[in-house]
Amino acid sequence: MKGDSSMEPYREASPPTPSPPAPSIPASSMRASDQERDATVQRLQVAFAEGRLADAEFDERMRAALAARTHGDLDALLTDLPATTAPVAAPPAAPAPARMPKPGRNAVAYKNSVRYAGRWRVPGTFRAIVYKGSGVIDLRAAELTEPVTVIRAVAYKSDIEIIVPPGVRVEVNGFGATRDEDWSGDLPADAPLVYVRALAYKGLVETRTMPRR
């Protein structure tokens, strides 16, 4: 019969064309988080304390880690350093390693020098008094035990050098005090603070991000 659509052959609908899969992002191109930057900084501090990195290398890599944008940027800073997650065999009865002891709160040098460097725990308030000598307080591989660290430095006919790593907020005031302005990166609101209160007579208290050449 003419006009009878029921007599037309059945045609199966074609399936929809699948969308192409989204391109995967390589792991090295993934954006790095603040926590991953902090973990890289800690590994660099350990390597510096172990003598694996020289001053200039450590400073350069620290700055690069704090400014890194991707996992690849961070991985490139650690390729020649040992992994800290490698298991270390130890006797079953060996005691757990003790934490680094806090140093005294006062460092005094009389016609001599005083130096704190490497891995050491910094108390919340630390005083350095140097009379006709020199002093170095290196915080680049140190453990700051408080969110705010106060360093009171007195230099009489002496120079005291305070080395603070990038990523630490620094405030300096007092008489005879200077501050190196090399590091100008943006710091998070919870960055640790080192507050230097200085008094120098015929001397200098200098806060820097790198040791003197």
Side-chain angles (χ1 to χ4, degrees):
M1 297 176 59
K2 294 181 179 181
D4 190 353
S5 59
S6 62
M7 300 298 293
E8 295 179 0
Y10 173 74
R11 296 177 180 175
E12 183 178 1
S14 59
T17 303
S19 301
S24 59
I25 301 176
S28 61
S29 299
M30 293 288 290
R31 288 279 182 168
S33 67
D34 288 339
Q35 184 177 3
E36 290 163 339
R37 294 186 188 93
D38 290 342
T40 300
V41 166
Q42 290 174 6
R43 287 185 60 183
L44 292 173
Q45 288 176 323
V46 171
F48 175 69
E50 294 174 344
R52 300 180 189 274
L53 296 175
D55 284 339
E57 293 175 310
F58 174 70
D59 181 75
E60 180 182 355
R61 296 194 193 195
M62 283 281 287
R63 294 169 188 267
L66 293 169
R69 292 187 298 174
T70 66
H71 288 177
D73 295 336
L74 294 177
D75 292 342
L77 302 173
L78 305 172
T79 52
D80 58 349
L81 299 177
T84 57
T85 55
V88 179
R99 289 176 60 85
M100 291 179 290
K102 285 186 180 181
R105 294 180 177 272
N106 301 304
V108 180
Y110 177 78
K111 295 183 179 180
N112 206 336
S113 62
V114 62
R115 179 181 178 87
Y116 282 82
R119 300 196 69 185
W120 62 291
R121 300 186 70 208
V122 187
T125 300
F126 186 77
R127 298 175 181 85
I129 303 172
V130 182
Y131 177 86
K132 293 185 179 180
S134 63
V136 175
I137 303 172
D138 190 342
L139 305 179
R140 291 175 298 168
E143 176 187 344
L144 303 180
T145 58
E146 302 290 344
V148 178
T149 302
V150 179
I151 297 179
R152 303 178 186 272
V154 178
Y156 180 84
K157 296 183 179 180
S158 308
D159 288 348
I160 298 178
E161 182 181 8
I162 302 172
I163 308 173
V164 182
V168 175
R169 197 179 308 277
V170 179
E171 294 183 9
V172 178
N173 69 13
F175 180 77
T178 66
R179 175 184 175 183
D180 177 14
E181 298 291 348
D182 275 351
W183 177 249
S184 59
D186 295 330
L187 299 178
D190 59 349
L193 169 64
V194 172
Y195 181 38
V196 178
R197 300 186 64 181
L199 174 61
Y201 175 75
K202 294 185 179 179
L204 180 66
V205 175
E206 187 176 17
T207 302
R208 305 173 54 85
T209 57
M210 285 189 66
R212 296 170 184 166
R213 298 301 182 192

